[in-house]
Amino acid sequence: MRTTKILKARGRPRAFDMEDALAKAQALFRARGYDALSVADLTEAIGINPPSFYSAFGSKSALYGQVLQRYAELEGIDLEGPFAAGVSLAEGVRRLLRQAATNYGAGNGTGCMVIEGARGGVDAEACRQARRLLDQTHDMVHAGVSRHAPEQAEMVTDYVMATLSGLSASARNGLSGERLLRIADIASGQLAQELADEIEEKQP
Amino acid sequence: MRTTKILKARGRPRAFDMEDALAKAQALFRARGYDALSVADLTEAIGINPPSFYSAFGSKSALYGQVLQRYAELEGIDLEGPFAAGVSLAEGVRRLLRQAATNYGAGNGTGCMVIEGARGGVDAEACRQARRLLDQTHDMVHAGVSRHAPEQAEMVTDYVMATLSGLSASARNGLSGERLLRIADIASGQLAQELADEIEEKQP
DNA sequence: ATATTTTTGTAGTGCGCATTACAAAATCCA
DNA sequence: TGGATTTTGTAATGCGCACTACAAAAATAT
């Protein structure tokens, strides 16, 4: 709708494009992380001065939160499809991990913004903001796994989240999309075997 | 030997214990990372003033390098045993990952100091120092794997390094040693399956 | 036209950081 | 005892950071 922008618009109009600014901030935060990116870096990249920055975004931390949300919406991986009805758990995990590998590999060595942000550094509040999103991801994976294998949900979720972290770290270490996909394939193949063994034990 | 300390010792003697100071610095750097730990934090923890700090360690970065080395020697995982003769590749990887899980879990939510340090943040030089050690680890894993399966060495090494990163991240997320071990078991089981499949394909 | 509202540019603010100048103190060597 | 050497404590230094005071500028509302 954007009624705010079109219908009203009192006062002096903004001299820069908001979407462009958010896109640039997202790319910078994703590449360098919260702590290593200064407000001066941001204002220079956007092409504005500090007062415009604070008037538009409130604070560095607030912009980071907005950008994290934007990243999750625009570039986050699909957590519903892989656990939909008609897809086995092993196959769902395989799809999830392959999707992550492709996604992280396409980021040009940046990995996942949420996972890397949640690892934290100097600013505790920024870390918390990323953690909130990562916790949401964790809960959605847990919910999806629970529908197939409630008793092993914690174990499988632990494994999936650890593998996502490993993929993101490997992406940041410069691994190609192909090599990331190979990691995802090994990781998901192993899980199929593990799940098959468990079923065997319970239904001999 | 410590000849330097006992035989010579000109000038005013040091008023603090060097080993204690290094141990404290190691614990702090491991828990908080390089950027989030200030020299003021360090001097306060050790119980000295800045001039003593710089006289003893040179700089924050130099102390970090020394402490990283110390960590690798004292708490690093064994990269030789798992790839020794008489141990299959799958079993070697299983031992390596279980060792890492136990090690990272014992760190009280700190994960691996080298892996986390290499992820970087604000200070590029500190990141490079950790990276150097992580590259050494990578090369040793690669060499160990190569002796068993030279053609798949890159793939297996990628997988092992990614899993180590995932375990370290999971440890920092607060997972218990038990849950980390379960992740390590699934991950090593998955690789064993993959390796078995490859052999099947080549010797049908 | 005038008042109102919002953004803009210039030029700062205070704070925490790693690091250091300096002189007194504590040891060894002659 | 006196000179050499190193560490110590006090107290700074300069720098980069997130953030802001202020007034001019650019739009709408009446």
Side-chain angles (χ1 to χ4, degrees), chain B residues 53-161:
Chain B
F53 178 90
Y54 284 93
S55 163
F57 307 114
S59 70
K60 183 188 177 188
S61 178
L63 171 59
Y64 184 63
Q66 194 175 341
V67 156
L68 271 177
Q69 197 71 38
R70 200 185 118 107
Y71 168 82
E73 283 163 13
L74 296 182
E75 310 195 38
I77 54 183
D78 172 28
L79 297 169
E80 310 269 355
F83 299 115
V87 183
S88 75
L89 178 55
E91 173 61 15
V93 169
R94 199 185 77 96
R95 289 188 194 177
L96 182 66
L97 294 181
R98 284 186 63 91
Q99 198 190 148
T102 304
N103 193 332
Y104 300 167
N108 248 133
T110 57
C112 171
M113 190 177 177
V114 175
I115 289 174
E116 300 303 320
R119 191 141 298 171
V122 178
D123 193 287
E125 172 59 22
C127 175
R128 247 176 272 130
Q129 290 187 267
R131 263 226 78 90
R132 264 194 52 245
L133 285 182
L134 187 57
D135 285 346
Q136 282 178 26
T137 301
H138 175 280
D139 292 348
M140 289 185 71
V141 170
H142 189 90
V145 172
S146 291
R147 273 189 273 125
H148 292 88
E151 310 217 347
Q152 306 161 61
E154 178 185 274
M155 179 187 81
V156 173
T157 305
D158 281 352
Y159 181 72
V160 168
M161 296 306 290

Side-chain angles (χ1 to χ4, degrees), chain A residues 35-36 116 119 121-122 131 154-155 158-159 162 165-166 169-170 173 175 179 182-183 186-191 193, chain B residues 35-36 116 119 121-122 131 154 158-159 162 165-166 169-170 173 175 179 182 186-194:
Chain A
D35 296 314
E116 301 304 319
R119 191 143 296 172
V122 178
R131 262 226 77 89
E154 179 186 274
M155 180 187 79
D158 282 353
Y159 179 71
S165 286
S170 300
N173 282 349
L175 292 217
R179 285 164 80 175
R182 220 139 38 186
I183 294 172
I186 301 176
S188 48
Q190 288 293 92
L191 187 64
Q193 184 64 28
Chain B
D35 296 314
E116 300 303 320
R119 191 141 298 171
V122 178
R131 263 226 78 90
E154 178 185 274
D158 281 352
Y159 181 72
S165 285
S170 300
N173 282 350
L175 291 216
R179 286 164 79 175
R182 223 140 35 189
I186 301 178
S188 48
Q190 293 288 79
L191 183 65
Q193 182 65 29
E194 182 82 13

